Amino acid sequence: MSTQPLDAIVIGGGIVGASAALWLARAGKQVALLERDFCGSRSSGVNYGGVRRQGRSLVQLPLSCRAHQIWGQLPELLGIDGEYVRSGHLKLARSESDFAALQRWATLSEPFDLGLQLLDRQQLRARFPWVGDIAVGASYCPEDGHANPRLMSPAFAQAARRHGAHVHEQCTVTAVEPSGAGFTVHTAQGQRFSAPWLLNCAGAWAAALASQVGEPVPLVAGHPAMLVTEPLPMFMTASTGVEGGGIYARQVARGNCVMGGGQGFALGESTARAGQLAVLDILRNACELYPALAGAQAIRTWSGTEGYLPDREPVLGPSSTTPGLLHGFGFAGAGFQIGPAAGEALAECILLGEPRHSLQAFSIERFQHSTRSNAPCA
Ligand SMILES: Cc1cc2nc3c(=O)[nH]c(=O)nc-3n(C[C@H](O)[C@H](O)[C@H](O)COP(=O)(O)OP(=O)(O)OC[C@H]3O[C@@H](n4cnc5c(N)ncnc54)[C@H](O)[C@@H]3O)c2cc1C
């Protein structure tokens, strides 16, 4: 058993926790990053890889725009580009009312200067001839894009380690107790860590600690369904989504099309499968929206385990009951893009006293009087 003098302990080596550890280590803090499996092996490493600001709730846009800046600096920050490309994000409308919804969001998001381009049917056909006739229009965000989550998320932890963070993988936190002016954390492997700051970045598994400190949250697990096709001739020039949900798709440089939509199912507490119904739905939608995919072979399907809160906003920021505890979880299927900035915001709570972007909208206090649970959707 060992006790290490630390400034901060981070529970969870997903993109949020690893990013927080990286920003803290870069600022010279002694930080331990504790991950039950391998860093980036859960949601952060198995997601679709969409890196988009378009379509987010407006309260997320300040942080999402900060994340956009960080994504632009990956080689300097992490030493790799993570196959990140600013391909543009094309959000398609399948009805006039869906197109009106895209127009409304474009107006509301104007202060954030996303450079959105609204395309009617004719403009869409001319710019993106590979989109099926079912689309009546689209909103195009030229600087959104996609990346390879398998590369990106572990890279944050590796960069944190290079900056001096103590990264412990296969290290399961089993108990947290108050100690002195901070916390002592025990692991299943018999280690003990103590620090004045504790970051709860345990993804879909974060509610237990919140509950322990008197902050129960209605966090539920969801399992977005994913598949990838065989390599195909390049045709998809942007990452795509659809107003109202149902399917999202991108094509990687090797030619494979990665697609997601709907929900799979849990096999256990941390394993999940895409499920036949969700896969068939993705394929049906894909053939309507991207006719070039007709006859393509899907070579792999998968899912992951992600935390959802009823309002689909994360909990991000200080505990309301326990000084020194910070929460960062519940990203509702959209935390890959915003994760690097979410981690930075948590680090800023320690380094600056408060983050540069207000986290008020993500306060855990919003659940103090309501613990209703809603089923997640795509
Ligand atoms: C299939 C799928 C597709 C998605 N697509 C997109 C997308 O295209 N774009 C996008 O922006 N977002 C997407 N998301 C969401 C995104 O992946 C998540 O919001 C984000 O990765 C959450 O990061 P995290 O660090 O909070 O959680 P996680 O990556 O889940 O990390 C939490 C970590 O905590 C660890 N942990 C839990 N309990 C303990 C413990 N007791 N001790 C030690 N460690 C513990 C877990 O092992 C895990 O590694 C998708 C998610 C899924 C599942």
Side-chain angles (χ1 to χ4, degrees):
M1 199 173 284
S2 66
T3 305
Q4 309 187 9
L6 294 165
D7 298 305
I9 301 163
V10 182
I11 304 175
I15 196 164
V16 177
S19 163
L22 172 58
W23 294 107
L24 287 170
R26 281 170 63 100
K29 295 291 179 193
Q30 285 295 313
V31 54
L33 176 63
L34 312 184
E35 166 54 45
R36 180 175 58 188
D37 299 310
F38 293 99
C39 292
S41 63
R42 296 296 158 193
S43 262
S44 297
V46 302
N47 62 62
Y48 161 72
V51 183
R52 59 161 181 85
R53 294 162 295 169
Q54 175 159 238
R56 285 180 181 273
S57 70
L58 296 177
V59 291
Q60 286 190 18
L61 281 180
L63 214 52
S64 182
C65 287
R66 170 60 190 148
H68 182 68
Q69 291 174 341
I70 299 173
W71 280 92
Q73 298 159 3
L74 291 185
E76 299 90 314
L77 194 63
L78 305 182
I80 63 163
D81 69 6
E83 296 178 8
Y84 172 54
V85 283
R86 288 190 171 167
S87 59
H89 179 257
L90 187 64
K91 191 157 189 187
L92 301 165
R94 286 177 286 200
S95 67
E96 290 305 332
S97 63
D98 283 352
F99 191 47
L102 293 179
Q103 288 169 313
R104 276 196 301 279
W105 196 88
T107 304
L108 291 170
S109 65
E110 263 165 21
F112 298 95
D113 204 15
L114 304 183
L116 293 185
Q117 300 164 18
L118 287 161
L119 309 175
D120 63 20
R121 183 188 280 273
Q122 207 179 350
Q123 292 163 326
L124 177 61
R125 295 278 102 67
R127 292 269 302 273
F128 301 98
W130 44 270
V131 172
D133 282 341
I134 192 169
V136 304
S139 171
Y140 180 62
C141 186
E143 290 207 358
D144 281 356
H146 54 103
N148 185 337
R150 284 267 179 228
L151 300 176
M152 271 296 306
S153 297
F156 270 93
Q158 284 155 13
R161 182 181 272 137
R162 281 197 298 278
H163 283 277
H166 309 276
V167 179
H168 298 264
E169 296 185 309
Q170 298 191 290
C171 175
T172 308
V173 173
T174 50
V176 172
E177 57 190 27
S179 73
F183 307 87
T184 293
V185 167
H186 299 267
T187 76
Q189 292 70 27
Q191 298 131 303
R192 201 174 66 200
F193 301 86
S194 295
W197 290 96
L198 179 64
L199 282 66
N200 178 16
C201 302
W205 305 272
L209 178 53
S211 194
Q212 182 189 323
V213 298
E215 297 175 298
V217 283
L219 187 73
V220 296
H223 314 284
M226 308 290 304
L227 67 84
V228 62
T229 70
E230 62 188 319
L232 300 166
M234 294 302 291
F235 71 97
M236 202 176 266
T237 51
S239 182
T240 68
V242 177
E243 173 61 25
I247 184 167
Y248 31 98
R250 66 188 181 99
Q251 190 170 23
V252 304
R254 289 172 295 283
N256 312 74
C257 288
V258 183
M259 288 181 263
Q263 288 283 320
F265 61 92
L267 283 178
E269 203 213 0
S270 35
T271 47
R273 289 284 178 271
Q276 202 177 18
L277 287 180
V279 167
L280 289 174
D281 224 31
I282 294 171
L283 292 172
R284 185 184 55 73
N285 276 316
C287 291
E288 280 180 356
L289 284 160
Y290 322 111
L293 286 175
Q297 298 283 340
I299 58 173
R300 190 165 74 86
T301 68
W302 74 96
S303 183
T305 303
E306 163 74 327
Y308 293 76
L309 290 153
D311 58 5
R312 300 174 72 82
E313 300 295 349
V315 162
L316 188 63
S319 159
S320 62
T321 61
T322 310
L325 176 62
L326 302 171
H327 297 294
F329 62 82
F331 289 86
F336 183 54
Q337 189 273 347
I338 209 170
E344 182 187 51
L346 293 175
E348 286 172 350
C349 291
I350 297 172
L351 299 170
L352 309 177
E354 62 179 284
R356 75 182 89 170
H357 298 292
S358 167
L359 301 179
Q360 191 54 42
F362 313 122
S363 168
I364 198 164
E365 290 187 72
R366 71 190 193 271
F367 297 112
Q368 270 184 348
H369 304 297
S370 154
T371 49
R372 276 186 308 118
S373 140
N374 282 3
C377 51

